[in-house]
Amino acid sequence: MATIKDIAKLAGVSITTVSRALNNHSDVNRDTYKKIAKIARQLGYQPNSSARSLVLKKTNTIGLVVSNLTTRSGHHFLFDIICGVNEQASLRHYDVFLIGTNTRQQEEVQYKELCRRRSFDGVILAGLKINDPYIDQAVQAGVPTVLLGVPAPSDSVGSVISDDVGGSMSAIQHLIDYGHRHILFINGHQEAAVSQFRLEGYKKALEKNGLPYDEGKVAHANFEIEGGGEAFAALIAKNPNATAVFCASDLMAYGMLGKASELGYKVPDDISVVGFDGIEITEIMKPQLTTIDQDRFQIGTSAVNMLLEMMDGTPGYTRVMASKLIIRDSTKMLVPD
Amino acid sequence: MATIKDIAKLAGVSITTVSRALNNHSDVNRDTYKKIAKIARQLGYQPNSSARSLVLKKTNTIGLVVSNLTTRSGHHFLFDIICGVNEQASLRHYDVFLIGTNTRQQEEVQYKELCRRRSFDGVILAGLKINDPYIDQAVQAGVPTVLLGVPAPSDSVGSVISDDVGGSMSAIQHLIDYGHRHILFINGHQEAAVSQFRLEGYKKALEKNGLPYDEGKVAHANFEIEGGGEAFAALIAKNPNATAVFCASDLMAYGMLGKASELGYKVPDDISVVGFDGIEITEIMKPQLTTIDQDRFQIGTSAVNMLLEMMDGTPGYTRVMASKLIIRDSTKMLVPD
DNA sequence: CTGAAAGCGCTAACAT
DNA sequence: ATGTTAGCGCTTTCAG
């Protein structure tokens, strides 16, 4: 394991000069620089990052802390985010620690301690529920932090969220444009911040079109397949005249589709369906799902960019990423009879 | 940021004693220990990992290096592995760096340098193609390394692989048991080690049952949806009497199903299909796919365990994980006419 | 049982 | 343009 000491010895200079040369300081003689660079290359020298971090008080490391990392269906959503974070961090010469957590673990180990253990320069927090301890703790901790999917509670933390309100509105508007008036809403669980916003969008769109909001048309489920099916069965029993369903996740939409088929409903002939997320399988499953697409990869890259800005002193802010309606085969114009 | 120095001052002892106390050395007075522990707790002390690594020459860190991390459909397969690695590493008090790479990047930065940059105690390498530079370089590097999906080329590296040969054999045997004699095989691309093994299993199963191996029944595709469809179109044109298809990935199976439907084939009535991987969507898509299931999470945890063994000096070895035939709706007994 | 001192590999004043 | 020195926070001989 070559160190600058070895290089210094071979080059016949002091370690300081080696350090300066290798860090491209301008005050190094052209020839000494060349000699040092060459020796370093020959030795396959790599600076010891621990030593460097120790003196620089900077680890060039960001923590990607994901709550509920192992949730069964998490990959549809989280994977692209992880890829985006990874790619952008790498471009900016940061390495990323992937850390799984959950609500219970958050109660056991303080956010601040988690960050200190590895001296993260900054942290991206994903998968948090609305009451998870780390949200408040992040505000206190003083470690640059970007929240994903939860609006920033203070300007000591930043956040990247999708335009959930707007996304929901465009979903509902699309259904209304297609002639639907009785639109069920299968929302996600209440511990998710996005659920509030998606409900808000649902209400706003109805109001904008002069349609009444009816609590009996809304159910909450867990974002997963099974939840969608169960919620649909319950809702449709109460609202037999409904002609459309808006689901707060694509997975719930597929669960709902399965149940609809069991109950004898044809999609989109009897019932139109809009999902949310734009996960990959909406393109390959039948029917192809009309959905609100989020660019998850870009959420990841944006989070990294914001985090690096914050490390440079910019106060945190909330960035809202556009979400886009993609019309496919699960929605159909209602023919007036 | 509290250090042992701060604790020492408050406790009225030397930093040596603090260090010993906090590391549970036995030669510390019970009462001094208590005093120190209490102060540490009050200060929210966390040891500086850089300082620790520097002197201990151990980072308690493993690198999870994933080639082609951003491949579009990678999540179906990689996510569970990542979760498994993460979970097990965490249990064993290691943190994991997630690093994306690809063939080009491997040509640019040497494996050894990658490892040294962060002083990984060990590395898990996933997603490698058969000719990727890192396979050979891992052998030379002297960093404990576990390969995923590629058999260990030497005993300085270990590897965890699925039982691809056995898996393929049981897939084919299942089809043969169901009366199929003309079985197409849509294999993965040739740069994947698993493709060789799956082909081997295909051949062995045929031979065992006295059936001829016919190269014209085998195609190679890219493991993804589209590849499966194209390969099927080509194969079925040449082999119109085929009644079954074995696909080396579930995704290709779904691509194949789509194409089959386009061409007017009903599954499983006209054609039986077996996939490979056991990804989540095989349970939710219609038809539910008969497939060879791999426990990807366990591949991840096993890799970590093997890696830690190797760090303790155990030579690397190849661990073969069982794969299991799951019979669902896409295969059907052939009725002799 | 405790402390003083050295040193891990590196960077950054401060000379020269 | 280069070297000397100190020190980042921690562990570990070595002495007492």
Side-chain angles (χ1 to χ4, degrees), chain A residues 107-147:
Chain A
E107 274 149 9
E108 280 169 13
V109 15
Q110 295 271 324
Y111 181 66
K112 207 184 243 176
E113 285 167 20
L114 182 76
C115 295
R116 285 195 179 164
R117 205 182 70 217
R118 281 297 178 188
S119 319
F120 298 132
D121 290 338
V123 176
I124 295 172
L125 272 169
L128 290 182
K129 293 182 179 160
I130 221 164
N131 288 317
D132 272 346
Y134 280 5
I135 296 186
D136 286 338
Q137 293 180 16
V139 176
Q140 311 295 327
V143 181
T145 301
V146 172
L147 263 34

Side-chain angles (χ1 to χ4, degrees), chain A residues 253-278:
Chain A
Y254 280 111
M256 178 252 137
L257 281 157
K259 180 63 74 176
S261 157
E262 271 178 38
L263 298 177
Y265 293 92
K266 295 256 177 294
V267 171
D269 298 313
D270 303 329
I271 295 220
S272 283
V273 180
V274 181
F276 207 115
D277 284 348

Side-chain angles (χ1 to χ4, degrees), chain B residues 10-77:
Chain B
L10 287 174
V13 298
S14 73
I15 59 166
T16 313
T17 303
V18 175
S19 172
R20 274 194 287 243
L22 263 22
N23 287 296
N24 296 310
H25 287 206
S26 54
D27 56 354
V28 177
N29 181 291
R30 191 99 195 89
D31 290 335
T32 3
Y33 170 82
K34 276 190 195 158
K35 199 198 301 178
I36 290 171
K38 188 175 166 206
I39 295 174
R41 211 173 322 112
Q42 287 171 341
L43 263 40
Y45 170 78
Q46 288 292 124
N48 179 310
S49 56
S50 299
R52 205 155 215 264
S53 300
L54 183 57
V55 49
L56 256 24
K57 291 173 177 342
K58 175 152 175 33
T59 55
N60 259 273
T61 271
I62 69 178
L64 175 52
V65 178
V66 182
S67 198
N68 303 307
L69 182 55
T70 55
T71 298
R72 191 155 182 291
S73 305
H75 63 103
H76 292 288
F77 197 85

